[in-house]
Amino acid sequence: MKKFIALTAILLLFSPFIPAIAGKKKHRAKAKARPKQEQRIEEIDNFDFLYINEGVNVDYSDNLMAGNVLDEAFNHIGARYSHGSAGPYVFDCSGFTSYVFGKMGISLSRSSRQQSTQGYRIDNNELQSGDLVFFTSPRSGGNVGHVGIVVDVDPITGSFDFIHASLRGVKVSNSRESYYARRYLFGRRVM
């Protein structure tokens, strides 16, 4: 029985090579007839390189600043929510954004309604990482009542992920979630 198991194991180990050895000539003929496979190219999602020396001014300092803002924001994922709190361990929505941007040397007002007047307003198709996004809330009467920071934007659908201090703590949400989709107002750039 032990010999049978050992022989079976050896056959299974070498079974992928048996057809290749037995039909060596046929395999070579097929290989010659096949067209060469196209070389795989890694997808690049930043096309700024296409515009080098074409009069397009690309400012990478904004991208670096947005990355730093998001790094700081993600350091607080899971932090508790408490109305009126501004960190570093407990936040409300505007306390979170003012704390994160404050770490980058950008002073934001302490309320979401006041933050919605800072920087400059941008169209939805201009949203990018690091922008502020504003929403109504059940108690705001249709006015600004909530704020978050854009993490990334889907250029096809226009939806975006944003990090914010929700009632469930600091987390990432998507603008297509029904609660946020019906309450989204606009975005602003403060960097």
Side-chain angles (χ1 to χ4, degrees):
M1 184 66 172
K2 289 181 183 179
K3 288 182 182 179
F4 177 73
I5 292 173
L7 183 60
T8 305
I10 291 172
L11 284 175
L12 287 174
L13 251 166
F14 290 103
S15 63
F17 302 109
I18 293 172
I21 294 168
K24 206 172 192 178
K25 289 182 182 175
K26 287 182 184 178
H27 180 69
R28 284 185 183 160
K30 285 182 183 178
K32 288 179 183 176
R34 286 186 195 163
K36 290 184 179 179
Q37 288 185 348
E38 291 184 26
Q39 186 179 20
R40 288 188 171 205
I41 299 172
E42 187 175 326
E43 184 178 336
I44 300 172
D45 65 353
N46 181 347
F47 297 100
D48 293 340
F49 69 93
L50 293 174
Y51 303 105
I52 294 174
N53 298 325
E54 291 191 22
V56 176
N57 186 10
V58 179
D59 184 3
Y60 292 103
S61 63
D62 287 347
N63 293 339
L64 181 61
M65 177 65 89
N68 291 340
V69 164
L70 292 176
D71 286 346
E72 179 62 35
F74 275 93
N75 283 335
H76 302 284
I77 284 282
R80 265 185 334 107
Y81 176 90
S82 178
H83 182 72
S85 297
Y89 305 109
V90 181
F91 299 96
D92 67 6
C93 67
S94 58
F96 176 67
T97 53
S98 64
Y99 179 85
V100 168
F101 278 90
K103 288 291 212 175
M104 302 300 117
I106 299 171
S107 178
L108 293 181
S109 299
R110 193 42 200 93
S111 79
S112 57
R113 199 168 293 170
Q114 290 172 333
Q115 288 179 13
S116 73
T117 65
Q118 293 185 260
Y120 58 94
R121 192 170 176 155
I122 51 176
D123 292 333
N124 292 346
N125 62 351
E126 297 175 302
L127 282 176
Q128 61 187 27
S129 298
D131 288 337
L132 294 175
V133 282
F134 297 91
F135 304 85
T136 63
S137 68
R139 294 183 298 210
S140 68
N143 296 313
V144 170
H146 189 65
V147 61
I149 303 168
V150 174
V151 173
D152 59 21
V153 179
D154 182 336
I156 296 170
T157 65
S159 68
F160 55 89
D161 292 322
F162 62 102
I163 186 167
H164 61 123
S166 74
L167 293 176
R168 294 188 175 139
V170 175
K171 67 178 202 157
V172 175
S173 298
N174 185 277
S175 63
R176 286 198 160 184
E177 293 174 30
S178 62
Y179 180 86
Y180 297 108
R182 65 180 180 261
R183 288 181 168 83
Y184 176 68
L185 294 171
F186 55 85
R188 291 189 79 85
R189 187 159 298 148
V190 294
M191 291 187 284

